[in-house]
Coordinates of all heavy atoms in Angstrom, one line a residue:
M1 N 91.7 90.0 118.3 CA 92.0 91.1 117.3 C 91.7 90.5 115.9 O 92.3 89.5 115.5 CB 93.4 91.6 117.5 CG 93.8 92.6 116.5 SD 95.0 93.6 117.3 CE 94.4 95.2 116.7
P2 N 91.0 91.3 115.0 CA 90.8 90.8 113.7 C 92.1 90.7 112.9 O 92.9 91.5 113.0 CB 89.8 91.8 113.1 CG 89.8 92.9 114.1 CD 90.5 92.5 115.3
R3 N 92.0 89.7 112.0 CA 93.2 89.6 111.1 C 93.1 90.6 109.9 O 92.0 90.8 109.4 CB 93.2 88.2 110.5 CG 93.5 87.1 111.5 CD 93.8 85.8 110.9 NE 92.9 85.5 109.7 CZ 92.2 84.4 109.5 NH1 92.1 83.6 110.4 NH2 91.5 84.3 108.4
P4 N 94.2 91.3 109.7 CA 94.1 92.4 108.6 C 93.6 91.9 107.2 O 92.8 92.6 106.6 CB 95.5 92.9 108.5 CG 96.2 92.5 109.8 CD 95.5 91.2 110.2
N5 N 94.0 90.7 106.9 CA 93.5 90.2 105.5 C 92.0 90.0 105.6 O 91.3 90.2 104.5 CB 94.2 88.9 105.1 CG 94.1 87.8 106.1 OD1 93.7 87.9 107.2 ND2 94.4 86.6 105.6
Q6 N 91.4 89.6 106.7 CA 89.9 89.4 106.8 C 89.2 90.8 106.6 O 88.3 90.9 105.9 CB 89.5 88.9 108.3 CG 89.4 87.5 108.4 CD 88.9 87.2 109.8 OE1 89.3 87.8 110.8 NE2 88.0 86.2 109.9
V7 N 89.8 91.8 107.3 CA 89.2 93.1 107.3 C 89.2 93.7 105.8 O 88.3 94.2 105.3 CB 89.9 94.1 108.3 CG1 89.6 95.5 108.0 CG2 89.7 93.6 109.7
Q8 N 90.4 93.5 105.2 CA 90.6 94.0 103.9 C 89.6 93.3 102.9 O 89.0 93.9 102.0 CB 92.0 93.8 103.4 CG 92.3 94.3 102.0 CD 92.2 95.8 101.9 OE1 92.4 96.5 102.9 NE2 91.8 96.3 100.8
K9 N 89.5 92.0 103.0 CA 88.6 91.3 102.1 C 87.1 91.7 102.3 O 86.4 91.9 101.3 CB 88.7 89.7 102.4 CG 89.9 89.1 101.8 CD 89.9 87.6 102.2 CE 91.2 87.0 101.7 NZ 91.4 85.5 102.0
I10 N 86.7 91.9 103.5 CA 85.3 92.4 103.8 C 85.2 93.7 103.2 O 84.2 94.1 102.5 CB 85.0 92.3 105.3 CG1 85.0 90.9 105.8 CG2 83.7 93.0 105.6 CD1 85.0 90.8 107.3
R11 N 86.2 94.7 103.4 CA 86.1 96.0 103.0 C 86.0 96.0 101.4 O 85.2 96.7 100.8 CB 87.4 96.8 103.4 CG 87.4 98.3 102.9 CD 88.6 99.0 103.4 NE 88.7 98.9 104.8 CZ 89.9 98.5 105.5 NH1 90.9 98.3 104.8 NH2 89.9 98.4 106.8
E12 N 86.8 95.2 100.7 CA 86.7 95.1 99.3 C 85.4 94.6 98.8 O 84.8 95.2 97.8 CB 87.8 94.2 98.8 CG 89.2 94.8 98.9 CD 90.3 93.8 98.6 OE1 90.1 92.6 98.3 OE2 91.5 94.2 98.8
Q13 N 84.8 93.7 99.5 CA 83.5 93.3 99.1 C 82.4 94.3 99.3 O 81.5 94.5 98.4 CB 83.1 92.0 99.9 CG 83.9 90.7 99.4 CD 83.1 89.5 99.5 OE1 81.9 89.4 99.9 NE2 83.8 88.4 99.3
L14 N 82.5 95.1 100.4 CA 81.5 96.2 100.6 C 81.7 97.2 99.5 O 80.7 97.8 99.0 CB 81.7 96.7 102.0 CG 81.5 95.8 103.2 CD1 81.8 96.5 104.5 CD2 80.0 95.2 103.1
I15 N 82.9 97.6 99.2 CA 83.1 98.6 98.2 C 82.6 98.1 96.8 O 82.0 98.8 96.1 CB 84.7 98.9 98.0 CG1 85.1 99.7 99.3 CG2 85.0 99.7 96.8 CD1 86.6 99.9 99.4
K16 N 82.8 96.8 96.5 CA 82.2 96.2 95.3 C 80.7 96.3 95.3 O 80.1 96.7 94.2 CB 82.7 94.8 95.1 CG 82.3 94.2 93.8 CD 82.7 92.7 93.7 CE 84.2 92.6 93.6 NZ 84.6 91.2 93.3
Q17 N 80.1 96.1 96.4 CA 78.6 96.2 96.5 C 78.2 97.6 96.2 O 77.2 97.9 95.5 CB 78.1 95.7 97.8 CG 78.0 94.3 98.1 CD 77.3 94.0 99.4 OE1 78.1 93.7 100.3 NE2 76.1 94.1 99.5
I18 N 78.9 98.6 96.7 CA 78.6 100.0 96.6 C 78.8 100.4 95.2 O 77.9 101.0 94.6 CB 79.4 100.9 97.6 CG1 78.9 100.5 99.0 CG2 79.2 102.3 97.2 CD1 79.8 101.2 100.0
T19 N 79.9 100.1 94.6 CA 80.3 100.6 93.2 C 79.6 99.9 92.1 O 79.4 100.5 91.1 CB 81.8 100.5 93.0 OG1 82.3 99.2 93.2 CG2 82.6 101.5 94.0
S20 N 79.1 98.7 92.4 CA 78.4 97.9 91.4 C 76.9 98.3 91.3 O 76.2 97.9 90.4 CB 78.5 96.5 91.6 OG 77.7 96.1 92.8
G21 N 76.5 99.0 92.4 CA 75.1 99.4 92.4 C 74.2 98.5 93.1 O 73.0 98.7 93.2
Q22 N 74.8 97.4 93.7 CA 74.0 96.5 94.5 C 73.4 97.1 95.7 O 72.2 96.8 96.1 CB 74.9 95.3 95.0 CG 75.2 94.2 94.0 CD 76.0 93.1 94.6 OE1 77.2 93.4 94.9 NE2 75.4 92.0 94.9
C23 N 74.1 98.1 96.2 CA 73.6 98.9 97.3 C 73.3 100.3 96.7 O 74.1 100.9 96.1 CB 74.6 99.1 98.4 SG 74.9 97.6 99.3
Q24 N 72.0 100.6 96.8 CA 71.5 101.9 96.1 C 71.8 103.1 96.9 O 71.8 103.0 98.2 CB 70.0 101.7 95.8 CG 69.7 100.5 95.0 CD 68.8 100.8 93.9 OE1 68.2 101.8 93.8 NE2 68.8 99.9 92.9
D25 N 72.1 104.2 96.3 CA 72.4 105.5 96.9 C 71.2 105.8 97.8 O 70.1 105.8 97.4 CB 72.7 106.6 95.9 CG 73.9 106.3 95.1 OD1 74.7 105.4 95.5 OD2 74.0 106.9 94.0
G26 N 71.6 106.3 99.1 CA 70.6 106.8 100.0 C 69.7 105.7 100.6 O 68.8 106.1 101.4
V27 N 70.0 104.4 100.3 CA 69.1 103.4 100.9 C 70.0 102.6 101.9 O 71.2 102.4 101.8 CB 68.7 102.4 99.8 CG1 68.0 101.2 100.3 CG2 67.8 103.1 98.7
K28 N 69.3 102.2 103.0 CA 70.0 101.4 104.0 C 70.5 100.2 103.4 O 69.8 99.5 102.8 CB 69.0 101.1 105.2 CG 69.7 100.4 106.3 CD 68.8 100.1 107.4 CE 69.5 99.2 108.5 NZ 68.7 99.0 109.7
C29 N 71.8 99.9 103.6 CA 72.4 98.8 102.9 C 73.1 97.9 103.9 O 73.1 96.7 103.7 CB 73.4 99.3 101.9 SG 74.0 98.0 100.8
F30 N 73.6 98.4 105.0 CA 74.4 97.6 105.8 C 74.0 97.6 107.3 O 73.6 98.6 107.8 CB 75.9 98.1 105.8 CG 76.5 98.1 104.5 CD1 76.9 99.3 103.9 CD2 76.8 96.9 103.8 CE1 77.5 99.3 102.7 CE2 77.3 96.9 102.6 CZ 77.7 98.1 102.0
S31 N 74.0 96.4 107.9 CA 73.8 96.3 109.3 C 75.0 95.6 109.8 O 75.4 94.5 109.2 CB 72.5 95.5 109.6 OG 72.6 94.8 110.8
R32 N 75.6 96.1 110.8 CA 76.9 95.4 111.3 C 76.5 94.0 111.8 O 77.3 93.1 111.4 CB 77.4 96.2 112.5 CG 78.1 97.5 112.1 CD 78.8 98.3 113.1 NE 78.2 98.0 114.5 CZ 78.9 97.7 115.6 NH1 80.2 97.4 115.5 NH2 78.3 97.5 116.8
A33 N 75.4 93.7 112.4 CA 75.1 92.4 112.9 C 74.9 91.5 111.7 O 75.4 90.3 111.7 CB 73.8 92.5 113.7
N34 N 74.2 91.9 110.7 CA 74.0 91.1 109.5 C 75.3 90.8 108.8 O 75.6 89.7 108.3 CB 73.0 91.8 108.5 CG 71.6 91.8 109.1 OD1 71.2 91.0 110.0 ND2 70.8 92.6 108.5
L35 N 76.2 91.8 108.7 CA 77.4 91.6 108.1 C 78.3 90.6 108.8 O 79.0 89.8 108.3 CB 78.2 92.9 107.8 CG 77.6 93.9 106.8 CD1 78.3 95.2 106.8 CD2 77.7 93.2 105.4
A36 N 78.3 90.8 110.2 CA 79.1 89.9 111.0 C 78.6 88.4 110.8 O 79.4 87.5 110.7 CB 78.9 90.3 112.5
A37 N 77.3 88.2 110.8 CA 76.7 86.9 110.5 C 77.1 86.3 109.1 O 77.5 85.2 109.0 CB 75.2 86.9 110.7
R38 N 77.0 87.2 108.1 CA 77.3 86.8 106.7 C 78.7 86.4 106.5 O 79.0 85.5 105.9 CB 76.9 88.0 105.8 CG 77.3 87.8 104.4 CD 76.8 89.0 103.6 NE 77.7 89.2 102.5 CZ 77.8 90.4 101.8 NH1 77.0 91.4 102.2 NH2 78.7 90.6 100.8
F39 N 79.6 87.2 107.1 CA 81.0 86.9 106.9 C 81.6 86.0 108.1 O 82.8 85.7 108.1 CB 81.9 88.2 106.9 CG 81.6 89.0 105.7 CD1 80.9 90.2 105.7 CD2 82.2 88.6 104.4 CE1 80.7 90.9 104.5 CE2 81.9 89.3 103.3 CZ 81.2 90.5 103.3
R40 N 80.8 85.7 109.1 CA 81.2 84.9 110.2 C 82.4 85.4 111.0 O 83.4 84.8 111.1 CB 81.4 83.4 109.8 CG 80.2 82.8 109.2 CD 80.4 81.4 108.8 NE 79.1 80.9 108.3 CZ 79.0 79.9 107.5 NH1 80.0 79.2 107.0 NH2 77.8 79.5 107.1
V41 N 82.2 86.7 111.3 CA 83.3 87.4 112.0 C 82.6 88.2 113.2 O 81.4 88.3 113.3 CB 84.1 88.4 111.1 CG1 84.8 87.6 110.1 CG2 83.2 89.4 110.5
S42 N 83.5 88.8 114.0 CA 83.0 89.6 115.1 C 82.5 91.0 114.7 O 82.9 91.5 113.6 CB 84.0 89.6 116.2 OG 85.1 90.4 115.7
L43 N 81.8 91.7 115.6 CA 81.4 93.1 115.3 C 82.6 94.0 115.1 O 82.6 94.8 114.2 CB 80.4 93.6 116.3 CG 79.0 93.0 116.2 CD1 78.2 93.4 117.4 CD2 78.3 93.4 114.9
P44 N 83.6 93.8 116.0 CA 84.9 94.7 115.8 C 85.5 94.5 114.4 O 86.0 95.5 113.9 CB 85.7 94.3 117.0 CG 84.8 93.7 118.0 CD 83.7 93.1 117.3
T45 N 85.4 93.3 113.9 CA 86.0 93.1 112.6 C 85.2 93.9 111.5 O 85.8 94.5 110.7 CB 86.1 91.6 112.2 OG1 86.9 90.9 113.2 CG2 86.6 91.4 110.8
I46 N 83.9 93.8 111.6 CA 83.1 94.6 110.7 C 83.3 96.1 110.8 O 83.4 96.8 109.9 CB 81.5 94.2 110.9 CG1 81.3 92.7 110.5 CG2 80.7 95.1 110.1 CD1 81.6 92.4 109.1
T47 N 83.4 96.5 112.1 CA 83.6 97.9 112.4 C 85.0 98.4 111.8 O 85.0 99.4 111.1 CB 83.7 98.2 113.9 OG1 82.4 97.8 114.4 CG2 83.9 99.7 114.2
N48 N 86.0 97.6 111.9 CA 87.3 97.9 111.3 C 87.2 97.9 109.7 O 87.8 98.8 109.1 CB 88.3 96.9 111.7 CG 88.8 97.1 113.1 OD1 88.6 98.2 113.7 ND2 89.3 96.0 113.7
A49 N 86.4 97.1 109.2 CA 86.3 97.0 107.7 C 85.5 98.2 107.2 O 85.8 98.8 106.1 CB 85.6 95.7 107.3
M50 N 84.6 98.7 108.0 CA 83.7 99.8 107.6 C 84.3 101.1 107.8 O 83.9 102.1 107.2 CB 82.3 99.7 108.3 CG 81.5 98.5 107.8 SD 80.0 98.3 108.7 CE 78.9 99.5 107.8
A51 N 85.2 101.3 108.8 CA 85.8 102.6 109.2 C 86.3 103.4 108.0 O 85.9 104.6 107.8 CB 86.8 102.4 110.2
P52 N 87.1 102.9 107.1 CA 87.5 103.7 105.9 C 86.4 104.1 105.0 O 86.5 105.1 104.4 CB 88.5 102.8 105.2 CG 89.0 101.8 106.2 CD 87.8 101.6 107.1
L53 N 85.3 103.3 104.9 CA 84.2 103.7 104.1 C 83.5 104.8 104.6 O 83.0 105.7 103.8 CB 83.3 102.4 103.9 CG 83.9 101.2 103.4 CD1 82.7 100.0 103.3 CD2 84.5 101.3 102.1
L54 N 83.4 104.9 105.9 CA 82.9 106.1 106.6 C 83.8 107.3 106.3 O 83.3 108.4 106.0 CB 82.7 105.9 108.1 CG 81.5 105.0 108.5 CD1 81.8 104.4 109.9 CD2 80.2 105.6 108.3
T55 N 85.0 107.2 106.5 CA 85.9 108.3 106.4 C 85.9 108.8 104.9 O 86.0 110.0 104.7 CB 87.4 107.8 106.7 OG1 87.4 107.3 108.0 CG2 88.4 109.0 106.6
Q56 N 85.8 107.9 103.9 CA 85.8 108.2 102.5 C 84.4 108.7 102.0 O 84.3 109.0 100.9 CB 86.3 107.1 101.7 CG 87.7 106.7 101.9 CD 88.0 105.3 101.3 OE1 87.2 104.7 100.6 NE2 89.2 104.8 101.5
R57 N 83.4 108.6 103.0 CA 82.1 109.1 102.7 C 81.4 108.2 101.7 O 80.5 108.7 101.0 CB 82.0 110.5 102.3 CG 82.3 111.5 103.4 CD 81.2 111.9 104.3 NE 80.1 112.6 103.5 CZ 78.9 112.5 103.9 NH1 78.5 111.9 105.0 NH2 77.9 113.0 103.2
L58 N 81.8 106.9 101.6 CA 81.1 106.0 100.8 C 79.8 105.6 101.4 O 78.8 105.3 100.8 CB 81.9 104.8 100.5 CG 83.1 105.0 99.5 CD1 84.0 103.7 99.5 CD2 82.7 105.4 98.1
I59 N 79.9 105.6 102.7 CA 78.7 105.3 103.5 C 78.6 106.3 104.7 O 79.6 107.0 105.0 CB 78.7 103.8 104.2 CG1 79.9 103.7 105.1 CG2 78.7 102.8 103.1 CD1 80.0 102.3 105.8
Q60 N 77.4 106.4 105.3 CA 77.2 107.3 106.4 C 76.4 106.5 107.4 O 75.6 105.7 107.1 CB 76.6 108.6 106.1 CG 75.2 108.5 105.6 CD 74.6 109.8 105.2 OE1 75.3 110.9 105.2 NE2 73.3 109.9 104.9
F61 N 76.6 106.8 108.7 CA 75.8 106.2 109.8 C 74.8 107.1 110.2 O 75.1 108.3 110.6 CB 76.7 105.8 110.9 CG 76.0 105.2 112.1 CD1 75.4 104.0 112.0 CD2 75.8 105.9 113.3 CE1 74.7 103.4 113.1 CE2 75.1 105.4 114.3 CZ 74.5 104.2 114.2
V62 N 73.5 106.7 110.3 CA 72.5 107.5 110.9 C 72.1 106.8 112.2 O 71.5 105.7 112.1 CB 71.2 107.6 109.9 CG1 70.1 108.4 110.5 CG2 71.7 108.2 108.5
P63 N 72.3 107.5 113.3 CA 71.9 106.9 114.6 C 70.5 106.4 114.6 O 69.6 107.1 114.2 CB 72.2 108.0 115.6 CG 73.2 108.9 114.9 CD 72.9 108.8 113.5
G64 N 70.3 105.2 115.1 CA 69.0 104.5 115.2 C 68.4 104.0 114.0 O 67.4 103.4 113.9
K65 N 69.2 104.2 112.9 CA 68.7 103.7 111.5 C 69.6 102.8 110.8 O 69.2 101.9 110.3 CB 68.3 105.0 110.7 CG 67.3 105.8 111.2 CD 66.6 106.7 110.2 CE 65.6 107.5 111.0 NZ 64.4 107.6 110.3
G66 N 70.9 103.1 110.9 CA 71.9 102.2 110.2 C 72.8 102.9 109.3 O 73.0 104.1 109.4
Y67 N 73.4 102.1 108.4 CA 74.4 102.6 107.4 C 73.7 102.7 106.1 O 73.1 101.8 105.6 CB 75.5 101.6 107.4 CG 76.3 101.6 108.6 CD1 76.0 100.7 109.7 CD2 77.5 102.4 108.8 CE1 76.7 100.7 110.9 CE2 78.1 102.4 110.0 CZ 77.8 101.6 111.0 OH 78.5 101.6 112.2
F68 N 74.0 103.9 105.5 CA 73.4 104.2 104.1 C 74.5 104.5 103.2 O 75.6 105.1 103.5 CB 72.5 105.4 104.3 CG 71.3 105.1 105.1 CD1 71.3 105.1 106.5 CD2 70.1 104.9 104.5 CE1 70.2 104.9 107.3 CE2 68.9 104.5 105.2 CZ 69.0 104.6 106.6
V69 N 74.3 104.3 101.9 CA 75.3 104.6 100.9 C 75.1 106.1 100.5 O 74.0 106.6 100.3 CB 75.0 103.7 99.6 CG1 76.0 104.2 98.4 CG2 75.3 102.3 99.9
V70 N 76.2 106.7 100.5 CA 76.2 108.2 100.2 C 76.2 108.4 98.7 O 77.1 107.8 98.0 CB 77.4 108.9 100.8 CG1 77.4 110.4 100.4 CG2 77.4 108.8 102.3
P71 N 75.3 109.1 98.1 CA 75.3 109.3 96.7 C 76.6 110.0 96.2 O 77.1 110.9 96.9 CB 74.1 110.2 96.4 CG 73.2 110.0 97.6 CD 74.1 109.7 98.7
P72 N 77.1 109.7 95.1 CA 78.4 110.3 94.6 C 78.4 111.8 94.6 O 79.4 112.4 94.9 CB 78.5 109.7 93.2 CG 77.8 108.4 93.2 CD 76.7 108.7 94.1
A73 N 77.3 112.4 94.2 CA 77.2 113.9 94.2 C 77.4 114.5 95.5 O 78.2 115.5 95.7 CB 75.9 114.4 93.7
E74 N 76.9 113.8 96.6 CA 77.1 114.3 98.0 C 78.6 114.1 98.4 O 79.1 114.9 99.1 CB 76.2 113.6 98.9 CG 74.7 114.0 98.8 CD 73.8 113.4 99.8 OE1 74.3 113.1 100.9 OE2 72.6 113.2 99.5
R75 N 79.2 113.0 97.9 CA 80.6 112.8 98.3 C 81.4 113.9 97.7 O 82.3 114.5 98.4 CB 81.1 111.5 97.7 CG 80.6 110.3 98.4 CD 81.1 109.0 97.8 NE 79.9 108.1 97.6 CZ 79.9 107.2 96.7 NH1 80.8 107.0 95.8 NH2 78.8 106.4 96.6
Q76 N 81.1 114.3 96.5 CA 81.9 115.4 95.8 C 81.7 116.7 96.5 O 82.6 117.5 96.7 CB 81.5 115.4 94.4 CG 82.4 116.4 93.5 CD 83.8 116.0 93.6 OE1 84.3 114.8 93.6 NE2 84.7 117.0 93.5
L77 N 80.4 117.0 96.9 CA 80.1 118.3 97.6 C 80.9 118.4 98.9 O 81.4 119.4 99.2 CB 78.6 118.3 97.9 CG 77.7 118.7 96.7 CD1 76.2 118.6 97.1 CD2 78.0 120.0 96.2
L78 N 81.0 117.3 99.6 CA 81.8 117.3 100.9 C 83.2 117.6 100.6 O 83.8 118.4 101.3 CB 81.7 116.0 101.6 CG 82.5 115.9 102.9 CD1 81.9 116.8 103.9 CD2 82.6 114.5 103.4
R79 N 83.8 117.1 99.5 CA 85.2 117.3 99.3 C 85.4 118.8 98.9 O 86.3 119.5 99.3 CB 85.7 116.5 98.1 CG 85.9 115.0 98.4 CD 86.6 114.3 97.3 NE 86.6 112.8 97.7 CZ 85.7 111.9 97.1 NH1 84.9 112.3 96.2 NH2 85.8 110.7 97.5
V80 N 84.5 119.4 98.1 CA 84.6 120.8 97.7 C 84.4 121.7 99.0 O 85.1 122.6 99.2 CB 83.5 121.1 96.7 CG1 83.5 122.6 96.4 CG2 83.8 120.5 95.4
A81 N 83.5 121.3 99.8 CA 83.2 122.1 101.0 C 84.5 122.1 102.0 O 84.8 123.1 102.6 CB 82.0 121.6 101.8
V82 N 85.1 120.9 102.1 CA 86.3 120.9 103.0 C 87.5 121.5 102.4 O 88.2 122.3 103.0 CB 86.5 119.4 103.3 CG1 87.9 119.2 104.1 CG2 85.4 118.8 104.1
I83 N 87.7 121.3 101.2 CA 88.9 121.8 100.5 C 88.7 123.3 100.1 O 89.7 124.1 100.3 CB 89.3 121.0 99.2 CG1 89.7 119.7 99.6 CG2 90.4 121.7 98.4 CD1 89.9 118.7 98.5
G84 N 87.5 123.7 99.8 CA 87.2 125.1 99.3 C 87.9 126.1 100.1 O 88.6 127.0 99.6
P85 N 87.6 126.2 101.5 CA 88.2 127.3 102.2 C 89.7 127.3 102.3 O 90.3 128.3 102.6 CB 87.6 127.1 103.7 CG 86.5 126.2 103.5 CD 86.7 125.4 102.2
Y86 N 90.3 126.1 102.0 CA 91.8 126.0 102.1 C 92.5 126.0 100.8 O 93.7 125.7 100.7 CB 92.1 124.8 103.0 CG 91.4 124.8 104.3 CD1 90.3 124.1 104.6 CD2 92.0 125.6 105.3 CE1 89.7 124.1 105.8 CE2 91.4 125.7 106.5 CZ 90.2 124.9 106.8 OH 89.6 125.0 108.0
S87 N 91.7 126.2 99.7 CA 92.3 126.0 98.3 C 93.5 126.9 98.1 O 94.4 126.6 97.4 CB 91.2 126.3 97.3 OG 90.7 127.6 97.4
D88 N 93.5 128.1 98.9 CA 94.7 129.0 98.7 C 96.0 128.3 99.1 O 97.1 128.7 98.7 CB 94.5 130.3 99.5 CG 93.2 131.0 99.1 OD1 92.6 130.7 98.1 OD2 92.9 132.0 99.8
H89 N 95.9 127.4 100.0 CA 97.0 126.8 100.6 C 97.5 125.5 100.0 O 98.5 125.0 100.4 CB 96.8 126.6 102.1 CG 96.4 127.8 102.9 ND1 97.2 128.8 103.2 CD2 95.1 128.2 103.3 CE1 96.6 129.8 103.8 NE2 95.3 129.4 103.9
L90 N 96.7 125.0 99.0 CA 97.0 123.7 98.4 C 98.4 123.7 97.7 O 99.1 122.8 97.8 CB 95.9 123.3 97.4 CG 94.6 122.9 98.0 CD1 93.7 122.5 96.9 CD2 94.8 121.7 98.9
D91 N 98.7 124.8 97.1 CA 100.1 124.9 96.4 C 101.2 124.8 97.4 O 102.2 124.2 97.2 CB 100.1 126.1 95.6 CG 99.3 126.1 94.3 OD1 99.0 125.0 93.8 OD2 98.9 127.2 93.8
N92 N 100.9 125.5 98.6 CA 102.0 125.4 99.6 C 102.1 124.0 100.1 O 103.3 123.5 100.4 CB 101.6 126.3 100.8 CG 101.6 127.8 100.4 OD1 102.3 128.1 99.4 ND2 100.9 128.6 101.1
L93 N 101.0 123.3 100.3 CA 101.1 121.9 100.8 C 101.8 121.0 99.7 O 102.6 120.2 100.1 CB 99.7 121.4 101.1 CG 99.0 122.0 102.2 CD1 97.5 121.5 102.3 CD2 99.7 121.7 103.5
K94 N 101.5 121.2 98.5 CA 102.1 120.3 97.5 C 103.7 120.5 97.5 O 104.4 119.6 97.2 CB 101.5 120.7 96.1 CG 100.2 120.2 95.9 CD 99.6 120.6 94.5 CE 98.1 120.4 94.4 NZ 97.6 121.0 93.2
S95 N 104.1 121.8 97.7 CA 105.5 122.0 97.7 C 106.3 121.4 98.8 O 107.5 121.2 98.8 CB 105.8 123.5 97.7 OG 105.4 124.1 98.9
L96 N 105.6 121.0 99.9 CA 106.2 120.3 101.0 C 106.6 118.9 100.7 O 107.4 118.3 101.4 CB 105.3 120.3 102.2 CG 105.0 121.7 102.7 CD1 104.0 121.7 103.9 CD2 106.3 122.4 103.3
H97 N 105.9 118.3 99.8 CA 106.2 116.9 99.4 C 107.4 116.7 98.6 O 107.9 117.2 97.8 CB 105.0 116.2 98.7 CG 103.9 116.0 99.7 ND1 102.7 116.8 99.6 CD2 103.7 115.2 100.8 CE1 101.9 116.4 100.6 NE2 102.5 115.5 101.3

């Protein structure tokens, strides 16, 4: 089982690559096998590090092609599309906290 601090460090480095522009929007940037070799960890460790990036739409997986950086405008569009239909209920959700 991967150590949490390894996963976090790898995740932070990947985020830094994305936000600094080292990985260009829409361009294939990550290969799990290459990352595993680079960080000298197993594929499951890389998968655990990348999972939140997929969830946050910083990257996307294209079957048979690899992992690509999602352009910021597309990330924003997804948030609007998901929240849009439920925007009437946002005030109700806030009052529950």
Side-chain angles (χ1 to χ4, degrees):
M1 176 152 225
R3 294 190 324 233
N5 59 345
Q6 268 185 320
V7 170
Q8 184 64 30
K9 285 179 184 178
I10 293 168
R11 183 179 305 132
E12 288 170 1
Q13 288 211 5
L14 297 177
I15 290 170
K16 187 182 284 186
Q17 280 186 260
I18 293 168
T19 57
S20 71
Q22 280 181 289
C23 292
Q24 305 229 340
D25 296 343
V27 175
K28 181 178 177 179
C29 192
F30 302 115
S31 155
R32 286 184 332 126
N34 289 344
L35 289 172
R38 177 175 143 202
F39 291 107
R40 297 182 179 156
V41 296
S42 67
L43 286 175
T45 299
I46 295 299
T47 301
N48 288 336
M50 294 176 79
L53 304 182
L54 287 162
T55 304
Q56 296 167 3
R57 292 273 301 152
L58 292 174
I59 60 173
Q60 67 182 5
F61 177 70
V62 178
K65 298 201 183 227
Y67 292 88
F68 294 79
V69 175
V70 176
E74 288 183 31
R75 288 180 225 151
Q76 188 60 32
L77 285 175
L78 179 69
R79 286 188 189 106
V80 170
V82 170
I83 293 173
Y86 303 101
S87 60
D88 300 353
H89 305 286
L90 287 178
D91 289 332
N92 295 339
L93 292 173
K94 288 178 190 173
S95 66
L96 296 175
H97 288 109

